[in-house]
Amino acid sequence: MGNAFGGLTPVMQIDVNFASADGKEIENATDDTSYHVLSRMESCLPELEGYRGCGETIRGALSNPSDDNLQRRAFEAVCPNIELISRFHNISSDIGSTIRDLAAELTTAEMFRQKSGVAKLLGELILVCFKFDQMKMLKPELQNDFSFYRRAIGSRALAGVSSQPISADSANVVSMWLAQNLPMTSSILRETNADVVANLANLCCGMIIRDTCGEALSKVLHIMVASTVVYDRISASGAFCSQSNVKVRKVIKAIGMYGGNDKAVLANSLKYSTTHFNDASTPANIRSDLDKM
């Protein structure tokens, strides 16, 4: 596989066992806590996938604003969803602190070699947050339900209704979080630095080049791309310019050659989830290579 990358200079020569799922790489209390947060975050994905909005009930209430019974019925219907969304938001706070702790253990490239278990946890947390956000983009009903809830709180029709999942003040905070296009990923941006995620992206790219991913190839490709997206959003100049610490040309070539059925999805993530792809500093050949996928 390495020969396919021709004269491209080497990337990080470090391997991480991303295929392992037994948690044996946990090295200390921080990692144990991180593994628990990862498990909680992974459980959010099927919950989000199975999310069913209350659109029809809400439309009935909005079409009949003077019918208090319809208002109460719609409010009661949406409350379980509000509880779930609030829980997603609470987990995002835990993700932020966990990412901060893991990143503090990976301050240099050599630390990735010494603490491969920590690197694995960091990569998987970044990936699961990115998966959540990609799925959330396809669920506009989350914001529709939450918007109705915010409008309904304190209304005359709900006088005497004592059960409210979250207060009006908390709803305002959650609403701002939910309105972001990558809310879970945004919690990462505040708690890590560009060098850490650049090293993670380059590590994954190196594994792909050297054909050391094994059965985890797809996961490593997705972690590589998610880390590149995070880097682009942290770095003032982005991932695509000549000053980028991410070996983005190799990242793109790895996607093109080994992305398989996920090639278009991976390329679109770099094009549409980053903030600097359309900058004037992005070389034309990078744009062209991604547009061809």
Side-chain angles (χ1 to χ4, degrees):
M1 185 179 288
N3 293 337
F5 284 76
L8 294 176
T9 55
V11 286
M12 290 177 67
Q13 305 290 308
I14 299 173
D15 292 331
V16 171
N17 184 12
F18 286 109
S20 171
D22 57 15
K24 291 181 180 178
E25 71 282 352
I26 293 174
E27 298 166 2
N28 54 45
T30 296
D31 301 347
D32 189 31
T33 300
S34 302
Y35 194 81
H36 176 65
V37 172
L38 173 62
S39 297
R40 288 172 58 209
M41 188 63 219
E42 288 176 334
S43 72
C44 291
L45 296 183
E47 291 180 308
L48 179 59
E49 186 176 18
Y51 187 96
R52 296 294 179 266
C54 301
E56 184 175 349
T57 305
I58 289 173
R59 284 190 293 273
L62 295 178
S63 299
N64 299 274
S66 61
D67 190 325
D68 289 354
N69 287 330
L70 283 179
Q71 307 306 310
R72 291 194 189 94
R73 190 180 306 163
F75 184 82
E76 290 168 357
V78 84
C79 279
N81 283 351
I82 301 308
E83 291 176 353
L84 181 60
I85 294 170
S86 179
R87 184 154 58 83
F88 290 158
H89 174 259
N90 291 337
I91 291 175
S92 77
S93 299
D94 293 338
I95 286 286
S97 60
T98 301
I99 289 288
R100 181 179 65 246
D101 292 342
L102 292 175
E105 298 189 53
L106 299 169
T107 53
T108 66
E110 182 58 27
M111 296 304 291
F112 277 79
R113 187 188 310 278
Q114 296 176 12
K115 298 192 174 186
S116 61
V118 177
K120 176 181 184 292
L121 283 168
L122 178 65
E124 294 195 337
L125 274 168
I126 289 175
L127 177 59
V128 74
C129 287
F130 195 63
K131 283 183 175 179
F132 180 96
D133 288 339
Q134 297 293 299
M135 196 179 296
K136 178 255 182 186
M137 291 181 185
L138 304 176
K139 296 281 185 178
E141 52 266 40
L142 276 82
Q143 286 180 270
N144 293 339
D145 288 354
F146 209 87
S147 294
F148 174 80
Y149 180 82
R150 289 184 68 204
R151 287 194 300 268
I153 293 176
S155 69
R156 177 185 58 80
L158 297 180
V161 176
S162 58
S163 178
Q164 295 185 357
I166 57 176
S167 67
D169 288 342
S170 295
N172 290 335
V173 173
V174 176
S175 179
M176 291 178 63
W177 172 80
L178 189 62
Q180 300 175 87
N181 64 336
L182 299 176
M184 282 292 183
T185 303
S186 294
S187 66
I188 297 172
L189 306 183
R190 296 186 296 271
E191 303 297 348
T192 188
N193 63 67
D195 288 340
V196 171
V197 288
N199 282 334
L200 181 59
N202 292 334
L203 180 154
C204 291
C205 190
M207 289 180 63
I208 296 167
I209 291 172
R210 298 192 308 278
D211 194 14
T212 59
C213 302
E215 63 185 26
L217 175 60
S218 177
K219 179 189 286 188
V220 176
L221 279 161
H222 282 271
I223 293 174
M224 176 183 71
V225 168
S227 300
T228 302
V229 170
V230 172
Y231 175 88
D232 182 83
R233 286 172 167 259
I234 295 174
S235 170
S237 54
F240 303 100
C241 65
S242 59
Q243 295 82 20
S244 172
N245 289 331
V246 173
K247 307 298 184 183
V248 72
R249 294 178 190 274
K250 297 178 199 174
V251 167
I252 293 170
K253 194 158 189 176
I255 294 170
M257 299 189 71
Y258 307 107
N261 294 333
D262 290 339
K263 185 186 302 184
V265 171
L266 294 165
N268 285 339
S269 293
L270 290 181
K271 290 166 62 177
Y272 301 121
S273 294
T274 54
T275 58
H276 293 90
F277 177 69
N278 290 318
D279 287 1
S281 59
T282 299
N285 61 337
I286 287 181
R287 296 176 191 272
S288 176
D289 288 345
L290 283 175
D291 286 339
K292 290 175 183 175
M293 296 184 191

